[in-house]
Amino acid sequence: MAMASIARRKATAVFSSSSKHPFKYSWIASSRGFASGSEENDVVVIGGGPGGYVAAIKAAQLGLKTTCIEKRGTLGGTCLNVGCIPSKEIHPIPKQVDCTCLVVILGSPNPVWALLHSSHMYHEAKHSFASHGVKVGSVEVDVPAMMAQKDKAVVNLTKGIEGLLKKNKVNYVKGYGKFLSPSEISVDTIEGGNTVVKGKNIIIATGSDVKSLPGITIDEERIVSSTGALALKEIPKKLIVIGAGYIGLEMGSVWGRLGSEVTVVEFAPDIVPTMDGEIRKQFQRSLEKQKMKFMLKTKVVSVDTTGNGVKLTLEPAAGGDQTTLEADVVLVSAGRIPFTAGLQLDKIGVETDKAGRILVNQRFATNVPGVYAIGDVIPGPMLAHKAEEDGVACVEYIAGKEGHVDYDLVPGVCYTHPEVASVGRTEEQLKTLGVDYRVGKFPFLANSRAKAIDDAEGLVKILADKETDRILGVHIMSPNAGELIHEAVLALQYGASSEDIARTCHAHPTMSEALKEAAMATYDKAIHI
């Protein structure tokens, strides 16, 4: 607790040292009074996704009278309803998704997780059980049952969040909110009425929406976004994924495990360009062993849906002869964009950048006094856990306390199998910055727990400052890498050296020992290789 307090007192910025920001305000929003009308709320949060509902709960915990407005009618945002949780399971989703609170955040329930887990269980039963002495008969996929399990998970989790708002005495308004003034929000309720919610401080937490591509119309049937990919009624024989980022590879992995022939088309020369180069190459090889095909440096010229399937016309990114590729379903996974439609930001003068992101200062304050923004609508990683941290820090600033989010230390995870997780700098970034560093690596093939469970693909890679041994980056490819990475996040948060981790006792046999061994290899020598 003492260390956390020190860290928060020392924190002076939300963004990384390389970030630039146009606003520097001397005023403190928590000192503002109500502009007019009844003094009902200290804080009003627009959006009930991972950033929004967390901000609302934290505000209430700090003694601030709080209202949370959510258009969807169910809390949790994109992550819970049509994102992270369902995909990491499988449920029918309406074609038209309510987008008031689309926040892609991993900290709250997410449909993707449900689907990834269900498809992995099927794949294991079909391909791995026999080698462990577990004999089963014919293994089949029951898509409706899989979807129902995902549906159940989502419903239970959304109800749980609503219970948390009630427990913390947060007023919950179901409807679409838009600004009347910097302190007044008009809400068209889902019941068909209208109400005006007033507050001293308004937090915009409306998240993000799917980024479309020119000439491609998403119908959520044959050409789908990640939302539609979670609601397919049957397993497509052929699936094309446009975009080799985290979401595209996760969804491609899901349907590939269930039997689809998956081809990933990517304009860039590499998959997941933000990933450490060495890890990325091993990751791609792993996916290719799972029969996922890649067409890199490839541009989508046009899409034809006049036939029974979908026909894509492709050409090299640098130009050249065109080719065609056919599939039953095409998943467009070209990224996400901030969702601020209908908020009437222009009416109150909130400034945005060219990408549509709301500009905020170090306290998450916009250029309009009393109006804040967090999560996917502002610069920074579009991740659920980042939005949650934004929400907590923003409310702490409003309450007159100190908040702290270090965007350089937000972990990223690709929830395929094996998973890939990372925090801090990549080797390529360190070379660009001219930093002298040491590298320590340890393969899971030499980890006893991984070998015992016959799941030893991957490695841990640690990058540390050559002179001080301070850890600069950690990259893990392994089963449950998303769980293993948090020891590294904590180490970077408190400026630990690789020797610090190496001299910390790790239980045996565990996958975590690979991190210890990689740390030993960084400052000295590993034992078990």
Side-chain angles (χ1 to χ4, degrees):
M1 292 297 290
M3 292 180 72
S5 298
I6 292 171
R8 286 182 177 256
R9 286 199 298 271
K10 290 173 66 178
T12 57
V14 176
F15 298 104
S16 67
S17 58
S18 60
S19 300
K20 294 182 179 179
H21 197 274
F23 306 121
K24 291 186 178 179
Y25 307 123
S26 58
W27 52 269
I28 298 177
S30 58
S31 66
R32 287 185 73 248
F34 290 103
S36 63
S38 61
E39 300 184 359
E40 293 186 348
N41 295 282
D42 296 308
V43 175
V44 176
V45 182
I46 308 176
Y53 84 75
V54 168
I57 290 173
K58 186 63 178 178
Q61 290 175 343
L62 291 173
L64 303 175
K65 193 166 186 178
T66 306
T67 290
C68 182
I69 302 168
E70 166 53 44
K71 174 186 175 183
R72 193 189 300 270
T74 56
L75 295 161
T78 293
C79 180
L80 193 158
N81 291 277
V82 291
C84 329
I85 296 301
S87 66
K88 283 139 184 124
E89 186 93 48
I90 249 187
H91 91 273
I93 301 170
K95 295 179 184 178
Q96 298 300 321
V97 179
D98 198 320
C99 297
T100 295
C101 179
L102 294 181
V103 186
V104 184
I105 301 178
L106 303 176
S108 75
N110 181 311
V112 183
W113 229 114
L115 180 50
L116 281 164
H117 181 65
S118 294
S119 63
H120 180 64
M121 291 177 68
Y122 166 73
H123 189 271
E124 288 290 286
K126 190 171 183 179
H127 299 284
S128 301
F129 278 12
S131 63
H132 290 273
V134 179
K135 296 183 178 180
V136 296
S138 176
V139 179
E140 299 178 355
V141 177
D142 185 339
V143 173
M146 195 176 287
M147 292 290 185
Q149 165 59 22
K150 182 195 65 167
D151 229 356
K152 180 181 178 182
V154 170
V155 169
N156 288 339
L157 289 164
T158 54
K159 287 182 178 178
I161 296 174
E162 193 164 340
L164 289 173
L165 292 191
K166 184 176 181 180
K167 174 185 175 183
N168 287 279
K169 297 181 173 58
V170 174
N171 183 36
Y172 176 29
V173 178
K174 299 179 181 181
Y176 196 108
K178 56 187 176 184
F179 282 95
L180 294 178
S181 74
S183 61
E184 297 174 303
I185 306 298
S186 172
V187 183
D188 294 326
T189 65
I190 61 175
E191 291 84 9
N194 179 271
T195 186
V196 175
V197 180
K198 299 181 180 181
K200 294 178 183 178
N201 304 284
I202 312 295
I203 301 175
I204 302 168
T206 47
S208 60
D209 198 358
V210 174
K211 181 180 180 181
S212 60
L213 293 175
I216 300 178
T217 301
I218 296 174
D219 59 18
E220 299 297 16
E221 292 182 356
R222 288 187 293 174
I223 301 178
V224 301
S225 66
S226 56
T227 300
L230 290 167
L232 297 177
K233 295 179 175 63
E234 59 185 17
I235 301 168
K237 184 177 179 181
K238 292 184 178 181
L239 172 69
I240 295 174
V241 179
I242 302 176
Y246 284 77
I247 297 173
L249 296 181
E250 288 175 355
M251 295 307 306
S253 177
V254 165
W255 291 105
R257 292 172 190 168
L258 296 177
S260 297
E261 181 182 316
V262 180
T263 301
V264 180
V265 178
E266 171 58 52
F267 184 83
D270 299 299
I271 67 172
V272 199
T274 57
M275 195 176 284
D276 181 87
E278 181 180 14
I279 300 295
R280 179 174 59 235
K281 289 178 182 178
Q282 291 207 28
F283 182 40
Q284 183 174 336
R285 285 198 294 267
S286 175
L287 294 176
E288 287 172 340
K289 285 194 295 183
Q290 298 172 40
K291 299 182 179 179
M292 190 178 290
K293 300 176 183 177
F294 291 93
M295 297 182 67
L296 305 177
K297 299 181 183 179
T298 302
K299 177 183 178 181
V300 178
V301 177
S302 64
V303 177
D304 183 2
T305 59
T306 56
N308 293 328
V310 183
K311 180 185 290 186
L312 268 63
T313 299
L314 311 171
E315 70 179 23
D321 295 336
Q322 294 186 347
T323 58
T324 60
L325 190 64
E326 296 185 14
D328 302 291
V329 175
V330 173
L331 166 62
V332 179
S333 184
R336 300 186 69 84
I337 56 175
F339 182 82
T340 57
L343 290 176
Q344 298 187 159
L345 297 182
D346 55 339
K347 186 171 186 176
I348 61 171
V350 171
E351 295 185 10
T352 60
D353 64 13
K354 292 181 180 179
R357 298 174 300 188
I358 296 173
L359 296 173
V360 294
N361 67 5
Q362 295 175 348
R363 293 174 173 265
F364 298 95
T366 70
N367 62 306
V368 177
V371 179
Y372 299 78
I374 62 171
D376 286 8
V377 295
I378 68 173
M382 283 186 167
L383 295 169
H385 42 290
K386 174 264 192 185
E388 289 182 345
E389 297 302 316
D390 284 356
V392 171
C394 178
V395 168
E396 288 176 331
Y397 283 126
I398 289 173
K401 301 178 181 293
E402 285 296 315
H404 172 52
V405 186
D406 187 342
Y407 286 0
D408 282 340
L409 300 184
V410 174
V413 185
C414 190
Y415 294 98
T416 50
H417 190 87
E419 294 179 352
V420 178
S422 62
V423 64
R425 302 291 187 182
T426 65
E427 190 164 358
E428 290 74 23
Q429 288 173 332
L430 294 180
K431 288 179 180 177
T432 300
L433 293 170
V435 176
D436 291 330
Y437 62 94
R438 290 199 302 264
V439 182
K441 292 178 279 190
F442 190 81
F444 280 91
L445 279 170
N447 176 266
S448 58
R449 178 70 174 268
K451 291 289 288 183
I453 64 174
D454 193 27
D455 201 354
E457 186 175 17
L459 76 158
V460 177
K461 178 178 180 179
I462 295 178
L463 303 165
D465 186 277
K466 189 172 183 179
E467 182 179 352
T468 66
D469 192 37
R470 179 171 179 164
I471 298 172
L472 303 174
V474 178
H475 309 276
I476 305 174
M477 173 178 149
S478 75
N480 297 319
E483 302 292 342
L484 299 178
I485 196 64
H486 296 105
E487 180 180 358
V489 176
L490 190 63
L492 267 73
Q493 182 69 61
Y494 288 103
S497 66
S498 65
E499 185 176 359
D500 289 331
I501 291 182
R503 293 189 179 278
T504 300
C505 185
H506 288 61
H508 173 79
T510 61
M511 305 285 279
S512 299
E513 289 178 286
L515 185 62
K516 173 185 172 74
E517 293 273 5
M520 295 175 70
T522 305
Y523 92 95
D524 190 14
K525 292 182 179 180
I527 296 294
H528 292 95
I529 190 171

